[in-house]
Each structure stands twice: as structure tokens, then as C-alpha cells.
Amino acid sequence: MIKREMYMRRIRPFIGNDLIKVMTGIRRCGKSVMLELIKEELAESGVPAGQFISINFEDMRNSRFLTASALHEEILNRAASIEGKAYLFFDEIQEVADWEKCINSLRVSIDCDIYITGSNAKLLSGELATYLGGRYVEFVIYPFSFSEFTELYRTAEPDAALQKCFQKYLISGGMPYLANLQFAEEPSRQYLTDLFNSVQFKDIVSRNKVRDIDLLHRIITYVMANVGTTFSATSLVKFLKNEQRAVAAETVLNYIHYCCDSYLLYQVKREDLQGQQILASNEKYYIADHGIWEAVFGGNMRDIQLILENIVHMELLRRGYAVTVGKVGNREIDFVCHRHGEKLYVQVAYLLATEDTIQREFGVYELIRDNYPKYVITMDELDMSRNGIKHRNIRDFLTVEEWS
């Protein structure tokens, strides 16, 4: 288990207090491991393991606790024998019907510290917000960053150079279980394909009662084929019509939202940097893990420009940035990033191989008159920084502690 200190730094200030700690993210991204890391930290601080109550709701042995009343009764029974605070760990809580009622009741009726995980963004919407009234903190957990991947990959190949680690990361992505498969190509591909199917059927089809599975798959395929490309629901409707599938734009948007709710896809809105407003159409989408793209659809090296963009986007989210696509006149900046009053701009390209490419990637910043940091990220080994704009090799950009 690697320590995932980036997340632990954020969670640590809330350990032991009465706020409910909620960890969300795509299935199998490491949320269960985060629960184990928190238990480890509590044990090191002197909390006896006997004060921990842990239930994974995907384990069939716990199927009798899948209603709020049954779970509530079970926890009260177990907590009765604990002296002091009970530490409650609930994995994949969304499997429990009306779970929010149970969690809220436990919070007010016993001395406890509650940690829950779930694979759906709707976990914290609607009723839960009403029941808990702001008494929770959420932490989105993502697949491994390149730094985390490298740390784990070097347990299999201790002498692997950073460049080799990145080549492997480009194909494999960052799903934690791949380390158990020694990052072997075919087993990894099979695992990621099965994971994709599991997300599609368990977290999208089943949870949202999707009836037209073929339509859903076509929409996911289209969005993934257009990762990092602005498009509208109307253009997707036209594409489906050409495939003899008549569908309303509202249905398309609903299906895409289901994919975002399951953390398979991430939407990035466009921001007019001159008009200072968020634009209502033509968003971009990125996939939670580019290894899934390679396993299911192939072509990571063929579409390397988009894969690099996807990798950078996910790293920006990991580091806590809110991200938009910047529109400046008729040109775009890949990522405009905001965090606690900070701001930075990021352009991503494969290689600065021609003068036209250099002018395109650096030139767009001529229209931005502020003094916030501006980056161009590529695979080039030589530093081509100019005019105050920083050029970085993508490996260096992903592994540096802080950007400035």
C-alpha cells in the first residue's frame, strides 16, 4: 500500500471530529485503501482496533445490512460493547437503501467518527444534503497520479528510468490493482475492460435504470473518441442519426450526466476569458483513467496528444484546481485553473516540432494580459520557454511538488 499522502494531508485535519468523511470516485480507484490508511493512522495514534467497525457493502456476507434499519440496528449492537469512541467505516455505502437516514441517526445517537465511500457523485445530493445539513466533508479520490504510479511500478522494476515509467503509464493508466498483475499487458487489458463493463452496468445502467444499453454504449464510445474535443449534444444527435438511431438531445445529455455521476467521465466547461463568463454549450469531456481508454478502444499512442491532455487534466483535478477551457476570441487555451485565489494557464501539445506549432502553443498567450503563470506542456526534452511562458516536459510537470 502506498501512502497517498496527497489525500491524507486533506483528510487528516478531520480525523476524530464529528464531520462525516465522504470519499467518492470511480469504482476501484483506491477508496477502500484510503479507509485502511486512515485506520493505520488511527492505530498509530493509539486507537485500539477493537474500536473500529468496518462493513463493505459489496461483500455478500453483508447483504443483510442493505437497509437503513438493519444497518442501524447492527451498528448499535456492535457499538454497545465499545468503550469510548466508535470508528465506523462503510465501503460503497450507496448499496444501502436510505443509508443517509442511518448515517445521520448514528451521528447524533452514539459517540462515533464516520467514514464512508461511494462510487456515485449523487451520493451527496438531494436527501443527504438535507439530512446532514453541511455536517460532512467530501474528498474525491482519483486513480494513481504519475508519481504514485512510478512509486508502485518501481516495486516491480526498481531500476526503471522515469522515461520508461512514463511510457508504461501512457498505456496502462493509474488504476491501483494493476500492480497486483505486475503491470503485465494482457492481464491489465482484461482487468480494465472488465472494470469498464462493471462501471457501465453497475454504476450507470443499474443505478439509473437505463433501458437502451446499446444507445448508452454508442454515446460513451463517441465521447471517448472525442476526448478533449469540444462538441455539443446536437452534434452527437446528428452522429447517431447517421447510424440510424433517432434520439433527443435531452436523452443524450442525461446519458452523459450518468457517466459523469459514475466518475467515468469529467466535464470541463468553456470560459470566455474576455467576457468573464462561463459558456453554456460545447463542453469538453475527459476520462477518469486513460488506461481504460487504451484497454477498451485502443489507440493511446495514435491519439497521444489527447492522452497527454487527459493526463494533465486529471492531475489538475488531483491537485485541487477547478478547471475550465479558456476561449479567447476564436482561439482556445486548453486549461484555465483556479485554486484558492491562485490561477494558472496550461497548454498541452505532443511535440513542438515545427515553428507553426511553437507559434500556436505560445502565441495564444499573447491575448492574455495578466501575470498569472502560463505553461506549455509537451514531450520535448529541451526547454523552449520564452517571453515569460514556461515550457515543461510533461514528466517534470507531473512530478514537481508545486507549480509556480
Side-chain angles (χ1 to χ4, degrees):
M1 259 192 335
I2 68 171
K3 294 298 184 182
R4 307 209 80 174
E5 184 60 22
M6 178 189 292
Y7 301 107
M8 287 305 300
R9 273 199 304 269
R10 296 171 190 165
I11 296 169
R12 198 170 282 125
F14 300 97
I15 291 177
N17 69 31
D18 63 353
L19 290 174
I20 296 162
K21 276 65 71 177
V22 184
M23 281 155 275
T24 55
I26 190 172
R27 184 177 292 271
R28 305 290 172 259
C29 69
K31 300 184 295 296
S32 303
V33 170
M34 293 308 305
L35 295 183
E36 294 304 315
L37 290 171
I38 292 165
K39 288 181 201 173
E40 237 181 49
E41 193 139 317
L42 285 165
E44 288 170 4
S45 72
V47 177
Q51 290 179 232
F52 300 160
I53 299 175
S54 303
I55 301 180
N56 183 337
F57 295 105
E58 290 194 321
D59 187 333
M60 280 294 290
R61 290 171 295 182
N62 296 318
S63 59
R64 64 190 184 278
F65 307 134
L66 296 184
T67 65
S69 56
L71 178 60
H72 190 262
E73 184 179 351
E74 176 67 14
I75 298 305
L76 289 182
N77 287 339
R78 293 197 202 180
S81 61
I82 293 176
E83 291 185 18
K85 189 185 292 287
Y87 293 84
L88 311 181
F89 300 90
F90 300 129
D91 208 354
E92 299 296 351
I93 191 73
Q94 75 277 349
E95 302 297 329
V96 179
D98 296 323
W99 63 270
E100 57 273 16
K101 296 177 183 177
C102 170
I103 296 297
N104 188 53
S105 179
L106 292 172
R107 183 186 63 79
V108 298
S109 60
I110 63 174
D111 182 14
C112 63
D113 185 16
I114 303 175
Y115 301 83
I116 64 179
T117 77
S119 300
N120 195 282
K122 286 183 178 175
L123 203 66
L124 295 175
S125 64
E127 294 238 339
L128 177 58
T130 302
Y131 275 102
L132 299 184
R135 296 182 183 90
Y136 63 85
V137 284
E138 181 189 14
F139 307 94
V140 181
I141 310 300
Y142 301 96
F144 281 159
S145 66
F146 175 52
S147 293
E148 291 174 318
F149 174 89
T150 300
E151 183 181 341
L152 211 53
Y153 187 65
R154 282 176 171 163
T155 63
E157 285 200 43
D159 299 324
L162 198 62
Q163 189 167 7
K164 181 177 181 181
C165 293
F166 190 70
Q167 291 295 330
K168 191 68 176 176
Y169 186 62
L170 278 173
I171 298 297
S172 301
M175 296 309 289
Y177 192 79
L178 298 188
N180 297 59
L181 304 173
Q182 297 293 300
F183 301 98
E185 191 170 326
E186 280 311 309
S188 296
R189 186 184 302 275
Q190 181 65 51
Y191 171 76
L192 292 171
T193 302
D194 291 344
L195 171 61
F196 170 76
N197 290 332
S198 181
V199 170
Q200 186 174 217
F201 289 107
K202 284 190 178 181
D203 299 323
I204 302 174
V205 172
S206 177
R207 197 158 308 286
N208 299 286
K209 298 179 173 56
V210 172
R211 287 178 292 183
D212 196 337
I213 297 172
D214 175 69
L215 177 61
L216 173 68
H217 190 75
R218 287 170 188 257
I219 289 172
I220 291 175
T221 301
Y222 181 91
V223 175
M224 286 193 173
N226 288 277
V227 156
T229 305
T230 54
F231 67 87
S232 64
T234 306
S235 62
L236 184 39
V237 167
K238 287 179 181 175
F239 167 78
L240 292 168
K241 188 176 180 181
N242 290 337
E243 294 201 333
Q244 283 71 55
R245 291 301 313 261
V247 60
E250 184 180 2
T251 302
V252 167
L253 288 173
N254 284 339
Y255 279 23
I256 292 175
H257 288 157
Y258 298 157
C259 295
C260 293
D261 285 341
S262 71
Y263 295 100
L264 176 65
L265 299 175
Y266 286 83
Q267 182 191 74
V268 183
K269 292 186 176 294
R270 291 192 309 150
E271 176 183 2
D272 186 335
L273 297 178
Q274 292 168 324
Q276 300 281 303
Q277 61 179 344
I278 298 295
L279 301 172
S281 62
N282 292 351
E283 299 91 354
K284 289 187 179 184
Y285 292 88
Y286 294 93
I287 187 169
D289 180 69
H290 57 281
I292 295 175
W293 184 352
E294 171 67 25
V296 179
F297 301 103
N300 276 17
M301 299 311 292
R302 182 188 64 241
D303 297 318
I304 190 166
Q305 160 79 32
L306 298 179
I307 294 298
L308 297 179
E309 210 173 293
N310 202 102
I311 289 170
V312 169
H313 170 259
M314 295 309 297
E315 184 67 16
L316 291 165
L317 294 187
R318 268 185 211 98
R319 299 195 185 202
Y321 286 93
V323 181
T324 58
V325 176
K327 179 178 180 294
V328 192
N330 60 355
R331 302 185 68 182
E332 280 188 350
I333 293 172
D334 289 331
F335 303 120
V336 182
C337 318
H338 302 267
R339 186 183 71 179
H340 311 314
E342 302 173 27
K343 187 175 183 180
L344 58 90
Y345 302 92
V346 180
Q347 281 286 92
V348 183
Y350 173 37
L351 291 170
L352 299 174
T354 67
E355 192 56 42
D356 284 347
T357 307
I358 293 170
Q359 180 52 40
R360 182 182 69 243
E361 301 302 332
F362 285 88
V364 69
Y365 287 131
E366 293 172 3
L367 303 170
I368 307 295
R369 301 300 183 189
D370 62 37
N371 293 316
Y372 291 110
K374 300 171 180 67
Y375 285 92
V376 174
I377 309 302
T378 73
M379 293 275 285
D380 294 282
E381 300 294 337
L382 295 176
D383 185 347
M384 302 188 205
S385 301
R386 60 191 64 194
N387 303 325
I389 301 164
K390 303 169 185 180
H391 172 233
R392 295 288 183 270
N393 176 277
I394 188 168
R395 298 189 307 273
D396 298 333
F397 184 76
L398 296 172
T399 52
V400 71
E401 281 283 325
E402 288 291 337
W403 303 316
S404 59

